[in-house]
Amino acid sequence: MSDAVRSGEASVASDGGPMIECRGVEKWFGKFAALRGIDLEVGLREVVVIVGPSGSGKSTFIRCINRLEQHDRGRIVVDGIEVTDDIRHIQEIRREVGMVFQSFNLFPHLTVLENVTLGPRQVRRLPKQPAEEAAMAMLERVRIPEQAHKYPGQLSGGQQQRAAIARALAMEPKVMLFDEPTSALDPEMIKEVLDVMRGLARSGMTMIVVSHEIGFAKEVADRVAMFDEGKLVEEATPERFFNDPQHERTKLFLSQIL
Amino acid sequence: MADRVEATRVEQLEPSGPPVREIGVRRWLRENLFNSWYNAALTLVFGAVLAWAIYASLRFVFVTGRWEVVRRNLTLLLVERFPRDQLWRPWAAMFILAITIALFLGASAAARRGDPTRQRPPLTPVEVARRMWPLAFLAAALLLLSRGLLPVVLVVALSAATLGARLAGERLPPWLRRLRYLLLALGGVAAVEVLILFGGEGWERWGGLMLLLFLAVGAIVLSFPLGVVLALGRRSRLPAFRLVCTVYIELIRGVPLITLLFMGAFMLGFFFPPGFPRPSPVVRALVALTLFTAAYVAEVVRGGLQSIPHAQIEAAQAIGLSPPKVTRLVVLPQALRAVIPALVGQFISLWKDVALVSIIGLSEVLNIAQRITQQTDFRAQGLQAEVLAFAGLVYWVGAYWMSRESQRLEKRLGVGER
């Protein structure tokens, strides 16, 4: 990572270590290198927004953090637990890391409330009543309590994505990963989802967000990271990243999307 | 041309409501049956064929049909050699089954009542009639043929008991309501046991409609879970398990059912140690039907499993579900509801395939129907049409009822999936 331009300081978790620590992460799809040695630290309560052209490895990277993809080299440590083949470690990490997908991926055969209570009841073994009360609180938080008894197919895209956020939050994760959460939404619905994410960031959640919402990144992110061809090419505070980008690739990318 | 365009306010028109379409009978006929010369010709031709077919059927059923052969052998067709002084047992079994199923349905309805997402319109008499008419039709046909007063009284009592149990099921105390699946299973076992225990007849001597129901229901209940396990096994990551399941499925699917039935009848014995009690032909038939259907169920379910997008599995993994729970709570429920039509189709096939057990010496309805034309009183009188019509009716009612219930289930489970 010699060519990465670094500026701004990664905040550090209260216990001294970062919440997420990645060192030299590589991922290969056959002979194609999707990630070519990513180094990134995310501190407690920090919000990192990752931008970059499609195919640059952004999604692959955050999917490695909760082991939806398996990295081939390097280390990923989440809250002191290293991501390895050990299924118990993976389960433990997944319990602490919530994920929101581009296409929502709600379970269509369950109601919104059942979607949200599934994890708490099956993984955290909460009884039905407290799980439902907690789920309703989450649905209040994402402002769709009135949709609790509907099926995902009966909701708008924005409502579905907010339900998906509630589903992830119901596990009381320490970290939230967002994989292009607004890319599949109509413009009007993007705002309602970003509003929820803003509130979440303000409440002190540690977040990694893959997104091209520049307004959101400027306002909420502590750091912005630029991915290109499987490498982290630049990482800076939003002000520096957008006003004074150092790397040629970043300048080109920003000129195309701004 | 104006220099600037004034913003104009479009006059708001009140919508006048959806267009009303009232179509009289004559207009409907003209638009749908006689809208062109060839359609008119088709209507006339097929109308004539249909009218003739209805006339011929009705004439056969009510005028020319000699139903004496069915009438005199009705008990034989239903229960074959079941001792005539023990006929209270099948009746008792029917009562037990009807009451436990009705209790179960009532309890399920009551359990749904507290749940706003699973509300269904209340059960109206019209709805009951629409769902039950094929069964009621068969019952009516049997009662007409039996010409006795006692069966009529018993059927009325059975219907009343079913209705009563359905209503009572809704008022079961909650702790008992939670045990409804156990209750249903116990009802099934009790219905079989009441036929066997304390001087009844073991299933190795059953026949007729009773045997048909036993084999079909037994094979459905057993082959479904086996098929699901095989389907999961064929997609398993464990190579040995996957190989066993794949070989099983491909082997069974490559063999005609008749072969399996023969093998069950003649070869099953080789697999048991000497001195081990040999299973009866009924059990052998049940095993063959179950193994056969399970292979097809497995392929149907596998199709359903493949239709579930990988993103669903990832979402389930991301909230921390363990691999078995991902399958049980997220993948299987969606896969199974996607394949309900094919699955029920498989069970309808099974229902009709039971007719093949006659080749290993078992007597279900069709086999008995064939045999009674050889009785001294009815020999060489050309009564094939009557007995075949009767056996056909029995099979058709079962198959048609399953098909309709599957459509209903599909509709019900499809709610919210758009």
Side-chain angles (χ1 to χ4, degrees), chain B residues 111-170:
Chain B
R112 277 192 305 272
R113 207 175 300 131
D115 189 341
T117 53
R118 295 199 166 66
Q119 287 303 325
R120 277 192 235 147
L123 209 57
T124 61
V126 176
E127 180 67 17
V128 174
R130 275 169 54 150
R131 285 178 58 184
M132 289 298 157
W133 82 260
L135 299 185
F137 180 65
L138 180 65
L142 293 175
L143 287 178
L144 275 174
L145 287 163
S146 81
R147 277 183 172 171
L149 190 59
L150 186 61
V152 178
V153 173
L154 283 169
V155 166
V156 170
L158 187 65
S159 312
T162 308
L163 190 65
R166 174 69 174 73
L167 296 174
E170 294 188 29

Side-chain angles (χ1 to χ4, degrees), chain B residues 69-70 73-81 138 142 145 206-216 351-359 361-373 384 386-398:
Chain B
V69 60
V70 175
N73 290 298
L74 196 59
T75 316
L76 198 68
L77 285 159
L78 297 182
V79 297
E80 215 214 355
R81 288 165 296 176
L138 180 65
L142 293 175
L145 287 163
W206 289 3
L209 180 60
M210 202 166 84
L211 178 69
L212 168 62
L213 284 170
F214 177 72
L215 287 175
W351 166 252
K352 293 176 295 180
D353 284 345
V354 174
L356 290 173
V357 300
S358 61
I359 61 154
L362 296 177
S363 307
E364 49 60 67
V365 179
L366 183 65
N367 178 249
I368 299 173
Q370 292 284 310
R371 282 200 336 236
I372 54 180
T373 57
Q384 290 293 340
E386 283 81 356
V387 297
L388 287 179
F390 178 82
L393 174 73
V394 169
Y395 276 101
W396 176 80
V397 164

